[in-house]
């Protein structure tokens, strides 16, 4: 297909841009989001890459909450923080009669990807955008993120 075909696909809600490191995922994601903003009511671009580059690409500070991009009325961006940031308030962190420390919790293999995915899904489900473009991490990170929910 072509870019025009992609722009005309009104049924597309989520678009994932993926690949190996250094192939131009962020450039492609940003270009696609800008093009979509010309034909869609509201567009969000989300970076799931630990090496966040959206702030550099759009020359403005972008954080873990949706930020309206300068020069656009309907284009927003956010960078999901890959660092472990677990809100443990109200959680039962015990195994049997033993309490589990947050240090121990953060050492569980794959926990970063699991928490990033949980945060991503929580935020995305609460959003009202016509289309969301995902600027993903390099392939290995993204495959772990996408296979987590099994």
């Amino acid at each position: 297909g072509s870019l025009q075909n992609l722009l005309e696909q009104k049924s597309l809600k989520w678009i994932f841009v993926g690949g190996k490191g250094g192939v131009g995922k962020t450039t492609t994601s940003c270009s696609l989001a800008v093009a979509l903003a010309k034909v869609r009511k509201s567009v969000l671009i989300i970076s799931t890459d630990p090496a966040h580059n959206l702030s550099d690409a759009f020359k403005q500070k972008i954080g873990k909450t949706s930020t309206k991009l300068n020069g656009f009325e309907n284009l927003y961006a956010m960078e999901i923080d890959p660092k472990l940031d677990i809100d443990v308030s109200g959680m039962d962190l015990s195994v049997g009669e033993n309490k589990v420390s947050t240090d121990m919790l953060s050492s569980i293999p794959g926990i970063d990807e699991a928490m990033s995915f949980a945060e991503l899904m929580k935020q995305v489900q609460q959003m009202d955008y016509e289309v969301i473009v995902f600027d993903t991490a390099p392939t290995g990170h993204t495959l772990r993120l996408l296979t987590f929910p099994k």
Side-chain angles (χ1 to χ4, degrees), residues 34 37 58 60 68-75:
V34 167
F58 288 105
Q60 76 180 78
K68 185 176 168 200
L69 294 174
N70 296 331
F72 297 92
E73 292 300 316
N74 62 337
L75 181 55

Side-chain angles (χ1 to χ4, degrees), residues 48-143:
T48 62
D49 189 341
H52 297 308
N53 292 311
L54 293 183
S55 293
D56 293 331
F58 288 105
K59 295 186 176 168
Q60 76 180 78
K61 178 74 175 139
I62 297 169
K64 64 180 184 176
T65 59
S66 179
T67 303
K68 185 176 168 200
L69 294 174
N70 296 331
F72 297 92
E73 292 300 316
N74 62 337
L75 181 55
Y76 301 81
M78 64 189 296
E79 296 177 327
I80 300 295
D81 189 354
K83 292 184 178 66
L84 186 61
D85 185 19
I86 302 173
D87 179 11
V88 294
S89 60
M91 289 176 67
D92 180 10
L93 297 177
S94 57
V95 177
E97 294 182 19
N98 301 314
K99 284 280 187 193
V100 177
S101 74
T102 53
D103 287 339
M104 182 183 241
L105 191 60
S106 67
S107 69
I108 297 171
I111 195 72
D112 290 338
E113 288 89 355
M115 294 312 296
S116 288
F117 183 79
E119 179 67 16
L120 173 68
M121 293 315 297
K122 181 176 86 175
Q123 292 182 17
V124 167
Q125 289 173 351
Q126 296 170 355
M127 295 177 182
D128 187 29
Y129 294 95
E130 195 173 349
V131 64
I132 300 174
V133 177
F134 292 87
D135 176 33
T136 67
T139 306
H141 295 282
T142 300
L143 290 176

